[in-house]
Amino acid sequence: GDIPIAMAKLAARRGYEVEIEGCDLSPLAVDCARRAAERAGLAIRFYVLDACRDRLPRDYDVAVSNLLLHHLDDEQVLALLGRLGGAGIHQAHCDLHRCRSGLVLAWLGTRLLSRSRITHVDGPMSVRRALRPDEAMAFARRAGMSQPRVRRVWPVRFVLEGGGRG
């Protein structure tokens, strides 16, 4: 729930009236996000959803994912981008950039910030599973995303964004 909560706080500070919802495949993650939003005094609806398969619950203007794509296989990436694009939803996906510097940073970072052997394995594995920006762009085009663009962001990530079907 960190991203929806941060978005809701930013919108409130700037005087925008927005409706923000969040979903996750994990009921535990949804419950944690719901409690965090309640503690922050924010009216954000969280629900369990498999965005690659389940029916999208309503029309959205924008869909944002953070560190999701590297958990999906190729068919799931295409399904997600295509379903959102087919519904005319503008989408922005921030994810890891698969590259040597990303792998080195993941290896170092997980060892400096955690003693967990699971984290030591998972961090570098996530980078190895991640897409390169050019691969993300190819998926966006195959999925029919209109006006796709990719920009690199710090430290070793990218954002893929675009509109619905063109």
Side-chain angles (χ1 to χ4, degrees):
D2 294 342
I3 301 298
I5 289 169
M7 292 170 68
K9 287 179 178 180
L10 178 64
R13 277 195 308 272
R14 297 200 174 165
Y16 295 117
E17 202 170 305
V18 296
E19 184 178 332
I20 296 176
E21 297 184 354
C23 65
D24 197 287
L25 192 56
S26 163
L28 178 61
V30 167
D31 189 51
C32 289
R34 186 179 295 125
R35 286 193 316 256
E38 287 170 1
R39 282 192 305 274
L42 299 168
I44 301 173
R45 183 173 91 93
F46 290 96
Y47 55 93
V48 176
L49 179 86
D50 180 342
C52 295
R53 293 187 197 154
D54 295 342
R55 183 171 172 258
L56 297 176
R58 56 194 278 184
D59 292 333
Y60 291 106
D61 296 317
V62 179
V64 176
S65 78
N66 187 48
L67 299 176
L68 170 66
L69 298 180
H70 71 271
H71 292 286
L72 307 178
D73 64 31
D74 292 357
E75 294 208 6
Q76 290 171 316
V77 171
L78 281 171
L80 178 66
L81 301 180
R83 292 183 83 233
L84 293 171
I89 298 170
H90 183 85
Q91 45 192 309
H93 306 276
C94 181
D95 215 307
L96 302 170
H97 173 179
R98 189 182 75 240
C99 61
R100 185 177 308 276
S101 57
L103 190 56
V104 168
L105 281 174
W107 191 90
L108 285 172
T110 58
R111 278 147 182 83
L112 290 172
L113 300 173
S114 176
R115 293 185 202 180
S116 166
R117 291 177 54 95
I118 294 171
T119 301
H120 295 173
V121 171
D122 184 62
M125 185 186 312
S126 291
V127 174
R128 286 187 193 99
R129 286 186 45 92
L131 299 170
R132 293 188 321 260
D134 62 312
E135 293 169 331
M137 181 64 87
F139 276 116
R141 289 187 176 123
R142 282 181 56 201
M145 184 187 288
S146 71
Q147 300 179 342
R149 50 204 171 276
V150 173
R151 60 186 165 88
R152 294 180 184 186
V153 294
W154 186 88
V156 189
R157 295 188 183 184
F158 67 86
V159 174
L160 168 65
E161 64 180 306
R165 293 194 185 273

